[in-house]
Amino acid sequence: TTHRFDDDMSTQTGTAVRKARTLPSATARHAAYLGLGLLGVSLCGAGVGQPIVPPVWSHTRSPRGWVYKGEQRKYHTLEPAGNMKPGKVPVIVAFHGNGADAAAFALQLPVLVAEAKKRGYIMVFPEGVQKEGSTLRCKERSWNAGSCCDEAVLNDVDDVGFTHAVLDDLLGRFPQVDPSRIYITGSSNGGSMAIRMACEMPERLAAVGPEIGSLEAVDGNRCAARCEPESDGIYEMCEWDERAPGCSASEFLQTLPGVFSCHRLKEYPTPMLLFNGNLDPFSNISGLIERPIKPGNASTYSSTFPSMETAIVGLRTATGCANHATTISFQNGTKKNSTTCTTYPVGAGCAANFTYCLSDAGHRWYGSTYDQYRLCLWEGYSEEECDPISDLETYGPNTMSISVAYQLLDFFDAHRRQ
């Protein structure tokens, strides 16, 4: 793995240690994938304190026949400059987080957007479905990644089908695209969506790079333990108990009620580069289950997330990776602010490269900073929701010990669908 990062921190020896986590506060219900948490992750393209400038899309397209509650579903592109040779251009599909939209996500990824353009990628930003009645500029959009989030899950939206339609439309309109070099990334709810796409359409993908996402392939309600009610009196937050029957890393994908299947990864092994933070209160480092105290209400739903250690074992097993085939492929940082990446390489028990990076960080896009307050207000959220101090307390710190943007692009550059 290429060692590229945005700071001058020294390399730290030893492996990263998973921190103990506490359950999120009741005020952050479903904030595991709330766009606000993702807003504090990267540079908006303007200096701190300067006005937010929306992205200028190269094109905006709408796959035929995809309408949700009166709104035509769409995706946007950011394209490299100059002539694009037919059949030669790679594509990165980027899924935004819950409660956000494509424009906000593009603004959160200035390094990825700029570097992808230099390397000749078309970046594709699909829009999740809008929250009914939302008055915010972003329309509080969401994806159905399995058990989260919000509008998309409550209405069982077919986001897998929509993604297929986006790729079909893109390939039909852009003969320059190389169909063997289609990649997917996303953050939070979008990261979970990227994992779902790796499981459900691996035959179309060259590699995936989810960030602070989770594997939501099963209903894990039977794994709930040590539940605590939230202050709203509607939901409770529980830990995922791997000692409960069928809930262990080796069993959960085979024994728990399925939401979607990852079995096709055996037939189409897909390289994966995953990022998570051991200080993230929300994205499943230790696993969590959030569910209604009284089930049966059509406006509530259960979100069940195994720990990332459990999810990684499940994904590795689905891909056919041996437990012993590991190497530390990246280390950087200082004590309590470091990242370690572990790789299960091809030819040593794996049919495709599988790399997992764990950082001393929270629910962020690692390796970037930005004016979170102004972008949050631009999205349409309130002063209280955008307060940087409470945001840091709720979502945890960032880290500059790794640049997700550069690592993703180096990983994508190295892989092509066979």
Side-chain angles (χ1 to χ4, degrees), residues 49-288:
Q50 296 186 18
I52 299 299
V53 178
V56 178
W57 304 117
S58 302
H59 292 93
T60 294
R61 307 289 192 187
S62 297
R64 183 173 298 176
W66 286 87
V67 178
Y68 181 77
K69 294 188 176 180
E71 181 185 80
Q72 181 73 45
R73 299 200 65 180
K74 55 185 176 288
Y75 67 93
H76 314 280
T77 63
L78 294 174
E79 299 160 21
N83 294 326
M84 296 185 287
K85 295 181 180 179
K88 300 294 184 181
V89 180
V91 169
I92 299 173
V93 179
F95 292 109
H96 61 74
N98 184 38
D101 68 350
F105 195 38
L107 292 174
Q108 292 161 18
L109 311 177
V111 175
L112 182 62
V113 167
E115 187 67 17
K117 185 176 183 179
K118 290 179 185 177
R119 299 191 193 192
Y121 285 84
I122 294 176
M123 288 207 67
V124 175
F125 291 86
E127 297 278 16
V129 293
Q130 74 278 12
K131 180 180 179 181
E132 188 171 10
S134 175
T135 59
L136 274 61
R137 188 209 59 78
C138 64
K139 300 300 181 184
E140 301 172 82
R141 298 179 184 276
S142 58
W143 301 105
N144 181 2
S147 69
C148 191
C149 289
D150 296 349
E151 183 82 18
V153 166
L154 284 168
N155 293 278
D156 195 24
V157 172
D158 182 10
D159 280 324
V160 174
F162 174 63
T163 305
H164 273 292
V166 167
L167 292 181
D168 290 343
D169 188 78
L170 184 77
L171 290 167
R173 293 175 182 268
F174 292 90
Q176 302 94 332
V177 170
D178 181 349
S180 71
R181 296 199 63 199
I182 294 175
Y183 309 92
I184 287 185
T185 187
S187 194
S188 198
N189 181 211
S192 299
M193 190 64 197
I195 293 174
R196 180 168 191 174
M197 298 316 302
C199 289
E200 297 220 63
M201 54 178 266
E203 74 281 1
R204 302 193 74 167
L205 304 179
V208 297
E211 202 257 356
I212 55 173
S214 66
L215 174 61
E216 303 173 21
V218 297
D219 179 349
N221 272 288
R222 71 171 69 166
C223 307
R226 294 172 289 280
C227 300
E228 298 177 5
E230 298 187 17
S231 60
D232 60 9
I234 299 173
Y235 283 86
E236 62 180 3
M237 195 80 75
C238 312
E239 297 179 18
W240 180 292
D241 184 1
E242 295 184 9
R243 296 167 298 180
C247 298
S248 69
S250 61
E251 298 176 297
F252 79 107
L253 282 180
Q254 289 74 40
T255 59
L256 296 179
V259 178
F260 60 86
S261 173
C262 294
H263 73 275
R264 296 177 67 200
L265 283 169
K266 281 280 180 67
E267 183 180 358
Y268 302 99
T270 301
M272 296 188 193
L273 173 59
L274 301 95
F275 303 88
N276 280 93
N278 57 21
L279 302 179
D280 189 338
F282 301 117
S283 279
N284 323 325
I285 274 300
S286 297
L288 65 85

Side-chain angles (χ1 to χ4, degrees), residues 372 386-394:
Q372 66 150 41
C386 297
D387 176 61
I389 295 176
S390 64
D391 178 90
L392 179 62
E393 292 174 349
T394 301

